[in-house]
Amino acid sequence: MEKIIVKTDGAVSEILIGMKWESAGELIPVSGTAIITDHNVNRIYGERFPDLPVFQVKPGEASKKIEVIESLAERLIESGIDRNGFLLGIGGGVVSDITGFLASIYMRGIKCAYVSSTLLAQVDASTGGKNGVNLGSTKNVLGCFKQPEFVICDPLMLQTLPEEEYLSGLSELIKTAIIGNAKLFEIIENNYEGIMKRDPQLLTMLISMAVNFKASVVSEDEKESGLRRILNFGHTYGHAIELYKSFRHGYAVACGMELSSGFSLARGYITDEEHGRITGLLRRFKLLRPHMIPADLVSQLIMRDKKKSGNDIHFVFIEGIGQAVTEKIPLTEVVKYYLQEKAEN
């Protein structure tokens, strides 16, 4: 097992990689704790949950809305959870978002922790303290920063994931490699079979490398005022594609990374060889899908990106595999490149 510490102003969060998920029961308060999970996770693992109140939500993005938060808060009150309470989220990124958001506002803030059951959550969503819910079709526009007390990442839980969900999470692992760890990218390139077989030892190493990088970024810039913006590589295009095509998050981000890599190539940031390695890896894991957004909608969808500032946006380019850079550019340039790239292909 590896313990990774995320230190931010006034908070210390422990990411426990390789620990058995059942150990969460030994780390939480014996009273005043409730579990937030979804129906799928409860069906598979619920019989082994600690003997605590369990509140379930429907799987998927549809549960990330204020109405669900209100309903859960009412149930916490009914269960007698007070300002000394504790929430344990057991599930993927949606569950950690809901749990963290609810914990940050309930009774003006109570403690929380996560057991991450998906690859997406283990390498990205549950580390860093960002929590958000959607407003209509706009993703995570209502959000907060709430660091969990701990996060358990048990690679054995990934064995029960449907392949689409597993590969969706792999997209975020590849993203981390592209923006911050060339060695991680190389290991992913050279271990296709082990990754597809979900080898626990290999996954423990890959998850640790990804979380170590994200922890270093978050510890330096928790509130995304500078360095942390690089974690959004591929997301400007990805969120637009996700909204229009309703892809799983990881597949949309993979398409966004392909576009952002091409944009980086067009601006002279990377070589043809580097661009080929990136797109080749995304194709090998079958993460890319057709996503032509009509010209009259591209601008509308990209304008919903939270990283925009007026008519500009902090766009993430790469300066080579393992190195990212953020540049403030006009939104019109982002839209223009998408339409140009789609017209040529």
Side-chain angles (χ1 to χ4, degrees):
M1 187 201 80
E2 181 175 1
K3 179 191 292 186
I4 299 170
I5 305 296
V6 180
K7 291 184 178 180
T8 57
D9 290 342
V12 176
S13 185
E14 296 183 343
I15 317 298
L16 307 166
I17 301 170
M19 175 181 277
K20 291 184 178 180
W21 74 266
E22 294 93 338
S23 300
E26 303 168 11
L27 304 176
I28 56 178
V30 295
S31 63
T33 299
I35 293 173
I36 310 293
T37 191
D38 68 32
H39 298 316
N40 288 341
V41 174
N42 188 66
R43 174 175 51 81
I44 298 170
Y45 298 105
E47 291 184 357
R48 287 180 277 164
F49 283 0
D51 187 16
L52 297 166
V54 177
F55 304 130
Q56 300 179 55
V57 299
K58 293 180 181 179
E61 284 284 316
S63 287
K64 286 177 53 173
K65 54 188 177 183
I66 285 295
E67 296 93 323
V68 172
I69 299 296
E70 290 177 349
S71 175
L72 288 170
E74 289 174 354
R75 296 177 71 182
L76 292 181
I77 293 172
E78 292 168 0
S79 297
I81 304 295
D82 59 24
R83 64 180 56 188
N84 296 312
F86 193 104
L87 297 184
L88 177 65
I90 305 179
V94 168
V95 168
S96 63
D97 260 328
I98 290 172
T99 303
F101 189 90
L102 178 58
S104 73
I105 60 174
Y106 184 75
M107 300 284 181
R108 294 192 176 92
I110 62 175
K111 294 180 178 180
C112 67
Y114 312 135
V115 170
S116 298
S117 64
T118 68
L119 185 57
L120 181 64
Q122 292 187 10
V123 302
D124 186 68
S126 60
T127 298
K130 281 175 67 173
N131 309 283
V133 294
N134 305 331
L135 186 62
S137 60
T138 305
K139 281 181 63 68
N140 299 328
V141 70
L142 304 177
C144 62
F145 290 90
K146 174 72 173 179
Q147 295 296 338
E149 299 297 301
F150 65 84
V151 180
I152 293 178
C153 300
D154 183 352
L156 292 177
M157 296 187 86
L158 306 181
Q159 301 293 334
T160 60
L161 285 181
E163 184 167 290
E164 286 245 320
E165 183 66 43
Y166 176 70
L167 292 176
S168 178
L170 181 62
S171 176
E172 289 284 358
L173 182 66
I174 293 172
K175 178 207 75 176
T176 302
I178 293 172
I179 64 172
N181 194 323
K183 182 63 177 177
L184 175 58
F185 189 92
E186 185 179 334
I187 293 172
I188 296 170
E189 280 184 313
N190 295 331
N191 286 274
Y192 174 82
E193 290 185 5
I195 290 170
M196 293 305 293
K197 290 178 181 177
R198 309 187 197 189
D199 177 82
Q201 189 172 356
L202 173 62
L203 289 173
T204 297
M205 178 181 66
L206 296 176
I207 294 165
S208 294
M209 293 176 74
V211 172
N212 265 303
F213 175 74
K214 185 168 185 181
S216 68
V217 171
V218 171
S219 294
E220 183 174 331
D221 177 26
E222 180 188 16
K223 301 296 177 68
E224 203 169 302
S225 58
L227 177 64
R228 188 168 179 170
R229 290 179 179 138
I230 66 172
L231 298 176
N232 293 311
F233 176 66
H235 284 62
T236 294
Y237 289 124
H239 280 164
I241 293 165
E242 187 174 359
L243 282 169
Y244 182 70
K245 299 293 290 188
S246 298
F247 290 165
R248 288 183 185 273
H249 179 72
Y251 290 96
V253 169
C255 295
M257 289 193 291
E258 180 190 33
L259 285 159
S260 299
S261 298
F263 202 177
S264 299
L265 176 65
R267 293 174 77 93
Y269 279 121
I270 60 173
T271 65
D272 284 318
E273 179 187 0
E274 289 166 325
H275 179 252
R277 285 179 68 193
I278 291 168
T279 56
L281 190 62
L282 295 172
R283 289 194 184 98
R284 190 175 188 195
F285 285 103
K286 297 181 172 60
L287 293 170
L288 300 179
R289 297 178 173 184
H291 53 83
M292 184 60 196
I293 302 173
D296 59 336
L297 288 179
V298 175
S299 181
Q300 294 178 40
L301 294 173
I302 289 178
M303 281 291 288
R304 297 185 186 185
D305 195 300
K306 298 187 299 301
K307 296 180 294 300
K308 79 180 185 70
S309 176
N311 293 318
D312 298 326
I313 191 166
H314 295 282
F315 194 87
V316 186
F317 295 98
I318 48 171
E319 292 184 307
I321 294 173
Q323 183 67 43
V325 60
T326 304
E327 184 180 336
K328 192 173 184 180
I329 63 174
L331 278 162
T332 52
E333 287 192 29
V334 180
V335 173
K336 181 180 178 181
Y337 179 77
Y338 181 88
L339 295 174
Q340 174 187 313
E341 198 277 339
K342 290 291 101 181
E344 293 175 356
N345 293 278

